[in-house]
Amino acid sequence: MAGKKEQPQDIKRREFIGSTILAAGVATVAPGVLLTVANATSEDEGANSEIRWGMLIDSNKCVDNCTACVDACERENGIDLLRRPQGQGDEMWNAQRPQWIRKVKLRDRQTGEVTNLPMMCQHCEFPPCVDVCPTGASFKRADGIVLVDRHTCIGCRYCMMACPYKARSFVHQNVEQQTIRAPRGKGCVESCNLCIHRIDSGATTTACQDACEKDGHKAILFGDLKNPESELSKALQQKSSRQVRADLELNTGVRYTSL
Amino acid sequence: MQSSTGILRAAGVIPAVVAALFSMAVHSGSAVTPGSRAAGMEACVAPTAEIRRYHMDYLKHDRIKVVRDGVRGVKYSLAECVDCHAEQDGNGGYHPVNGDGQFCNKCHEYLAVSLTCFQCHSKKPEQKRSAASLSGEKNAGQSSLFGLLMKFDEAPALSAEEMAQLHAISRED
Amino acid sequence: MKKLHYSELWCSSPRYWGGLAALTFIILLGMAAAFHMEHSGHWVTGMSNQVVWGLPHVFAIFLIVAASGALNVASIGSVFGGPLYKPLGRFSGLLAIGLLAGGLVVLLLDLGRPERLIVAITHYNFKSIFAWNIILYTGFFTIVGIYIWAMIDRKAQKFYQVTGFAAFFWRLALTTGTGSIFGFLVAREAYDAAIMAPMFIIMSFSYGLAFFIITLMSAYWWASRQLGSHRLEKLKNLLGVFVGAVLYFSLVYHLTNLYVTQHHGVERFILLDGGLYTVMFWLGQITIGGIIPLFMLYSPAFSENRFAIAIASLMVLIGGFFQIYVIVIGGQAYPMNLFPGKEVLSSSFYDGVVAAYTPSLAEGMLGLAGVAIAMTLVAVGARMLKVLPESLEDPEEGIA
């Protein structure tokens, strides 16, 4: 075969392949670079690891039969937009609908002391739900908020098995209507995210805290655990508080006094 | 000899496909739904041809920043798409953008690409409902409100002529 | 000693195709059920935010655990050099693959978003035992696949020992992983025990072998081939040992829990006053799955009785199913103790009360479809590959 004669042609071919690959490479990488550059000027820095969001709940101030925080949470996060599927009974609907925050009433077995408190995601420093999530959809943000990235949640519910606080809910039905700040769809797991949309836009309170304060109870205090000057840190220094299931050493972001 | 022409031929197909994609997109003129906010605007947050081709990648890129890093002032946000492209229904409300004949649905249905965003995301612009909008109201306009509204001063200033030119270029290819 | 001949499973057409059609029908029902659940959402099931893993998980875990145990026979043949077991190795590998596939299908179709399988494959959180398991399962298919090839193809014989060992260790890792899914859950009192992993291994031995005996007997009955009593007796005795070991591990698990005051509540729930779960434990797991089969396997009265062996194996499987049901569902139904020393007076989220769970028909159908998928794969595989010896008559002078 005329191997020698084809040599120049072959070189051209190689050049062509080379430049094609190069061009393809540039085309692939360029948008990414451009995007990064375009966003470099953005003033919005996102979640900051200098901050750790947390909460202090004074169960003494939490009133029996008051559900202001629960109602506010459901309105804020569009949970009230969910419709009960046709033919679903009360009991099952209550067991299946999402509940980000719930009221619990306790009585000490020994002393008979009665305590009321709201229970929700405790935003652990070492969250078991994040450990077990196979796809990494469950994660902890730099500022300590534990949440689910619905884009990668496959709905395996392992996090719900692992959570010691029963803080997570699975969306059991089709969702017709959502709010922009709280997307929600069938087949994913969700839980309290400390009103992340408000925090990100610069707010310093959560919906439940606002509601509790509006009703004059002031049982919920939200703030930065890492800032010693924050109202929350000061309150934590003064009063003795405790974590729920402190034995698990999860270092929760939500603390309780008078429990 | 034969092999080299084969490769050249194969390589030639790539620009042809790209050109076909562009011309297909450009051919129909404006796809923007009349009666949506976008209808009265000069251009999208990026040149139309680029948005048409890459909006899914841009949205995916920025959604990671929003959800994972809490960066809210991103350039490409689905909520903004909905905000601009939802058609008003005449009663003060909006048609869902993924509804029949609506902006997102038209193209996605034509191309048979499933539109899964709206399984979870709102299909309509936010209608004031509760306290959340209160906290954001203050700084709307000058900076992004939850990254949902775009920064007006950053809107790319592409004139109609420039757009036409861009389309022409992509069609020539 | 006669030379062994393997051949494809060939039996009269109506018998084979009829059986296959029945299995396919069950699978179709299961797929319809899965579609129903995914289309409407999980609200049509008995699962809730309290009992998050339901009947499909029981089936899936049962099949996955049995899958790794089914490989046991092959391992005894190649790793421990049991000549009587060696001819059974190929079929054992095939059964293992079939059971695992069946279990995984059920697991997948019970996800909230099964269409995101690709996400599960491309996003890994290496701290998650679930994510390890995804790797362990895919690895199991590959290794056992090569292992079967090495057993069938003379040219691949040099890989036989290596793959045999690899499959054996991989199999142990797989069951450890499955057991650890529960063992590492610190939150729930019923699960927080390291003994879960070894217990799952011994459970896998027992269920896997029971599955193996049943499928082997039915395959030879199907194809009208000879199955020697001596070989069956060996398998039977081995099953007896495993069943005893499962009982022993259950005993240790519960005794350990009883020693810890904190766990008294959950033990009381399972062993004494858990209603359905208590019944399932004592009647299902211990009596049907343990004591009766042990008696049938070891009693001289049944020693030559093939029917008894089949029934005993079946009972081991039924008992095993209940055992996993009690672990998975019972463990979730028992309330988590968030506030030690306090009783819950009221909560909208069922704190402090035993969670209700009534499986729906669809869940059961999906689970059964998993079993049917496993059996179909084995039936089709055995007809396509030379996995079964033409005759398994006993060697003339016992063991060579």
Side-chain angles (χ1 to χ4, degrees):
Chain A
M1 311 277 228
K4 230 177 190 177
K5 217 176 128 196
E6 282 203 7
Q7 197 87 2
Q9 186 74 29
D10 200 41
I11 286 169
K12 261 190 199 163
R13 195 186 122 233
R14 278 189 203 164
E15 268 173 24
F16 176 76
I17 293 174
S19 49
T20 311
I21 291 171
L22 190 69
V26 170
T28 320
V29 174
V33 174
L34 285 177
L35 282 170
T36 320
V37 173
N39 273 318
T41 52
S42 169
E43 286 162 20
D44 202 333
E45 284 148 21
N48 184 348
S49 58
E50 309 278 292
I51 294 173
R52 182 176 177 209
W53 296 115
M55 233 178 214
L56 178 63
I57 290 159
D58 190 338
S59 18
N60 257 350
K61 295 180 183 165
C62 183
V63 179
D64 195 8
N65 288 326
C66 166
T67 55
C69 53
V70 181
D71 300 339
C73 173
E74 302 206 333
R75 215 176 317 113
E76 180 74 24
N77 295 298
I79 300 172
D80 59 341
L81 296 174
L82 282 174
R83 292 284 157 261
R84 180 211 302 226
Q86 275 218 311
Q88 183 65 297
D90 287 340
E91 200 61 8
M92 263 328 251
W93 168 237
N94 200 37
Q96 288 180 334
R97 74 187 169 88
Q99 298 194 33
W100 287 16
I101 182 168
R102 61 185 191 264
K103 282 290 299 285
V104 181
K105 187 177 175 183
L106 304 166
R107 181 170 59 203
D108 195 293
R109 282 186 212 280
Q110 191 63 43
T111 63
E113 177 206 14
V114 172
T115 322
N116 282 286
L117 54 89
M119 195 64 209
M120 76 284 262
C121 172
Q122 305 285 299
H123 297 278
C124 313
E125 189 188 355
F126 307 106
C129 54
V130 173
D131 288 345
V132 300
C133 178
T135 64
S138 201
F139 71 104
K140 191 180 68 163
R141 242 167 55 143
D143 55 5
I145 297 179
V146 176
L147 73 158
V148 180
D149 181 351
R150 278 171 218 268
H151 302 112
T152 45
C153 173
I154 56 171
C156 73
R157 321 195 277 293
Y158 196 16
C159 56
M160 300 175 74
M161 289 291 279
C163 176
Y165 305 101
K166 280 202 351 180
R168 293 209 153 176
S169 299
F170 179 71
V171 181
H172 285 78
Q173 78 269 40
N174 284 301
V175 184
E176 297 299 330
Q177 217 187 335
Q178 301 92 345
T179 64
I180 286 181
R181 53 187 181 270
R184 166 174 297 113
K186 175 183 71 184
C188 287
V189 176
E190 57 182 40
S191 60
C192 161
N193 55 25
L194 289 178
C195 287
I196 202 163
H197 52 280
R198 295 165 67 119
I199 308 306
D200 284 347
S201 67
T204 51
T205 57
T206 59
C208 52
Q209 178 182 6
D210 282 357
C212 192
E213 197 158 320
K214 197 166 153 238
D215 278 22
H217 306 312
K218 296 189 175 178
I220 301 175
L221 179 60
F222 171 82
D224 180 5
L225 289 167
K226 282 191 181 167
N227 176 6
E229 298 305 309
S230 73
E231 210 185 323
L232 174 67
S233 299
K234 285 178 181 161
L236 278 167
Q237 266 164 22
Q238 281 157 15
K239 290 180 236 170
S240 89
S241 64
R242 50 165 289 200
Q243 314 171 39
V244 177
R245 292 225 59 181
D247 58 319
L248 297 175
E249 305 259 15
L250 301 173
N251 190 9
T252 59
V254 178
R255 309 284 175 119
Y256 291 82
T257 53
S258 338
L259 175 61
Chain B
M1 203 63 191
Q2 249 192 341
S3 69
S4 78
T5 48
I7 283 177
L8 277 175
R9 202 180 297 150
V13 169
I14 297 166
V17 168
V18 172
L21 271 176
F22 271 122
S23 58
M24 197 168 62
V26 169
H27 193 252
S28 54
S30 176
V32 168
T33 321
S36 66
R37 245 182 60 197
M41 291 169 99
E42 197 76 347
C44 196
V45 290
T48 309
E50 189 185 326
I51 280 288
R52 280 182 182 163
R53 180 65 190 85
Y54 293 115
H55 66 278
M56 61 307 269
D57 302 326
Y58 291 169
L59 284 170
K60 193 170 183 180
H61 179 274
D62 280 6
R63 91 178 184 202
I64 294 170
K65 299 193 74 162
V66 175
V67 178
R68 297 270 158 176
D69 308 332
V71 177
R72 293 280 176 161
V74 293
K75 188 173 173 190
Y76 305 98
S77 125
L78 185 70
E80 273 178 48
C81 302
V82 175
D83 225 30
C84 276
H85 287 287
E87 186 189 344
Q88 277 172 332
D89 62 3
N91 304 323
Y94 291 90
H95 292 295
V97 279
N98 62 343
D100 259 353
Q102 295 298 311
F103 183 73
C104 296
N105 179 263
K106 257 193 293 186
C107 197
H108 272 263
E109 195 171 80
Y110 179 70
L111 293 169
V113 177
S114 75
L115 189 51
T116 49
C117 304
F118 300 107
Q119 287 175 359
C120 294
H121 284 281
S122 177
K123 320 140 186 65
K124 296 176 181 179
E126 190 83 318
Q127 274 157 336
K128 292 192 182 71
R129 211 173 75 89
S130 77
S133 28
L134 299 176
S135 65
E137 213 88 70
K138 304 165 228 161
N139 43 15
Q142 20 105 187
S143 87
S144 61
L145 140 65
F146 316 148
L148 304 180
L149 293 177
M150 99 190 189
K151 295 176 187 167
F152 297 122
D153 50 345
E154 268 186 21
L158 264 176
S159 71
E161 267 171 38
E162 281 172 310
M163 285 298 286
Q165 225 170 7
L166 192 90
H167 289 180
I169 292 168
S170 56
R171 212 183 302 183
E172 259 172 34
D173 256 23
Chain C
M1 206 173 142
K2 271 192 288 178
K3 204 168 180 307
L4 264 177
H5 276 288
Y6 292 87
S7 69
E8 293 88 347
L9 182 71
W10 217 253
C11 60
S12 72
S13 223
R15 209 191 258 186
Y16 182 79
W17 293 110
L20 217 52
L23 288 172
T24 315
F25 181 67
I26 299 174
I27 295 173
L28 282 177
L29 281 181
M31 293 306 111
F35 177 76
H36 170 61
M37 287 192 287
E38 295 303 339
H39 182 74
S40 340
H42 274 64
W43 75 268
V44 295
T45 70
M47 289 176 251
S48 64
N49 288 329
Q50 277 64 43
V51 176
V52 300
W53 284 353
L55 195 55
H57 271 84
V58 177
F59 272 104
I61 293 167
F62 178 64
L63 287 171
I64 292 168
V65 165
S68 98
L71 197 63
N72 221 12
V73 178
S75 298
I76 297 174
S78 52
V79 176
F80 302 109
L84 268 181
Y85 293 98
K86 212 168 168 180
L88 301 171
R90 299 178 182 187
F91 185 64
S92 152
L94 179 66
L95 181 63
I97 287 188
L99 288 171
L100 183 63
L104 288 183
V105 167
V106 178
L107 201 61
L108 173 72
L109 289 178
D110 186 53
L111 289 180
R113 291 188 154 264
E115 80 279 11
R116 286 192 181 163
L117 177 64
I118 188 72
V119 175
I121 296 168
T122 50
H123 291 68
Y124 276 115
N125 167 24
F126 285 101
K127 216 180 163 186
S128 167
I129 296 157
F130 240 32
W132 301 353
N133 279 351
I134 295 170
I135 298 169
L136 287 171
Y137 298 149
T138 18
F140 188 80
F141 281 126
T142 319
I143 292 178
V144 177
I146 298 173
Y147 187 29
I148 295 178
W149 174 57
M151 283 190 277
I152 294 179
D153 194 345
R154 231 166 248 289
K155 277 177 276 179
Q157 197 114 54
K158 51 181 177 282
F159 303 126
Y160 175 65
Q161 277 299 331
V162 184
T163 47
F165 272 97
F168 177 67
F169 287 114
W170 198 272
R171 194 280 303 262
L172 289 184
L174 186 135
T175 327
T176 310
T178 312
S180 303
I181 286 183
F182 296 95
F184 289 0
L185 288 176
V186 291
R188 303 197 184 242
E189 289 177 30
Y191 299 150
D192 183 15
I195 198 176
M196 280 286 187
M199 190 164 89
F200 266 69
I201 290 184
I202 209 71
M203 278 154 64
S204 88
F205 285 179
S206 165
Y207 310 164
L209 190 58
F211 251 117
F212 184 84
I213 292 175
I214 289 175
T215 42
L216 187 75
M217 286 175 81
S218 31
Y220 274 68
W221 167 78
W222 235 13
S224 318
R225 294 187 190 178
Q226 290 303 314
L227 187 57
S229 317
H230 182 56
R231 218 181 290 264
L232 210 52
E233 202 188 320
K234 277 258 168 193
L235 290 171
K236 177 198 90 161
N237 288 342
L238 190 63
L239 182 64
V241 173
F242 290 156
V243 171
V246 170
L247 279 178
Y248 167 75
F249 265 85
S250 309
L251 180 74
V252 173
Y253 165 74
H254 287 290
L255 280 182
T256 326
N257 263 355
L258 280 172
Y259 202 79
V260 184
T261 311
Q262 197 190 357
H263 291 164
H264 283 179
V266 70
E267 282 304 314
R268 197 184 163 77
F269 176 69
I270 300 290
L271 302 181
L272 279 179
D273 53 15
L276 200 56
Y277 302 105
T278 307
V279 176
M280 281 185 186
F281 177 79
W282 288 112
L283 194 66
Q285 180 184 334
I286 301 297
T287 314
I288 297 180
I291 294 169
I292 300 180
L294 263 189
F295 175 72
M296 289 176 82
L297 292 172
Y298 282 136
S299 161
F302 296 111
S303 66
E304 288 291 298
N305 192 333
R306 291 194 176 201
F307 188 64
I309 297 176
I311 293 294
S313 306
L314 200 63
M315 288 176 98
V316 169
L317 289 184
I318 294 170
F321 183 81
F322 281 123
Q323 182 169 14
I324 295 195
Y325 194 97
V326 170
I327 292 176
V328 175
I329 315 275
Q332 292 178 83
Y334 185 73
M336 273 192 269
N337 193 6
L338 292 190
F339 308 99
K342 310 236 180 202
E343 62 178 315
V344 181
L345 293 183
S346 72
S347 158
S348 61
F349 208 58
Y350 304 90
D351 290 287
V353 291
V354 174
Y357 173 71
T358 318
S360 66
L361 184 64
E363 291 167 75
M365 271 155 57
L366 173 61
L368 283 176
V371 183
I373 287 172
M375 293 301 110
T376 309
L377 283 176
V378 172
V380 172
R383 199 182 174 101
M384 293 199 307
L385 300 170
K386 297 180 176 177
V387 290
L388 286 168
E390 268 172 11
S391 163
L392 274 178
E393 274 183 279
D394 294 330
E396 272 124 50
E397 321 91 64
I399 311 153

